[in-house]
Amino acid sequence: MVKARWVRLVAGLFMLSLVVAACGGDDDGGDTTGTTGTTGTTGATGATGATEETGSTGGGTSITIAGFAFDPNTITVSGPTEVTITNDDDTTHTFTLDDDSVDETIDAGATATVTVDVSQTTGFHCTIHPQMTGTVEVA
């Protein structure tokens, strides 16, 4: 009986540590200058690659993550559109379309480019921090 309580206690502490680790940031005050890159592929949209594109010219658009928020939190696309997301926070975030067609993890200080191809207005969010949301409108 006592052993079962200890097992439940240890399991509960382990789960709590996972939640804290997922929500934690870079607390060492280290400098992340120069840390850029991308983390791989997106769902049905194919491979992604880091670019130096900024602004909304050339069929692309940019989003900055800062202060646990997307800026801008509404973007407009017309057909397949490259979206460059820069994470200026000290913790990892995701850029995930509500239909899960794009699900990109972006480390602290990193930049990733994804292709957004939706036919109707949809939302996007960070799966790690669900209060972070935005909207993709179709022109």
Side-chain angles (χ1 to χ4, degrees):
M1 190 71 158
V2 171
K3 184 178 178 181
R5 287 184 189 162
W6 277 105
V7 169
R8 284 193 302 261
L9 176 65
V10 169
L13 290 174
F14 177 73
M15 294 301 293
L16 179 63
S17 68
L18 289 177
V19 169
V20 170
C23 293
D26 179 12
D27 293 333
D28 65 4
D31 183 12
T32 58
T33 303
T35 305
T36 60
T38 185
T39 57
T41 60
T42 61
T45 60
T48 62
T51 68
E52 294 186 22
E53 173 186 355
T54 58
S56 59
T57 61
T61 191
S62 297
I63 296 174
T64 300
I65 300 172
F68 288 81
F70 294 104
D71 183 27
N73 67 353
T74 300
I75 61 172
T76 302
V77 300
S78 178
T81 303
E82 284 191 349
V83 178
T84 301
I85 305 106
T86 301
N87 182 358
D88 284 345
D89 277 342
D90 290 333
T91 190
T92 299
H93 292 291
T94 72
F95 175 82
T96 306
L97 292 183
D98 288 354
D99 68 2
D100 290 324
S101 64
V102 175
D103 184 12
E104 187 73 21
T105 300
I106 307 141
D107 292 328
T111 298
T113 300
V114 299
T115 300
V116 173
D117 187 10
V118 295
S119 59
Q120 62 186 10
T121 296
T122 189
F124 60 87
H125 61 278
C126 172
T127 58
I128 303 167
H129 309 99
Q131 76 277 12
M132 296 174 56
T133 61
T135 304
V136 178
E137 296 179 343
V138 178

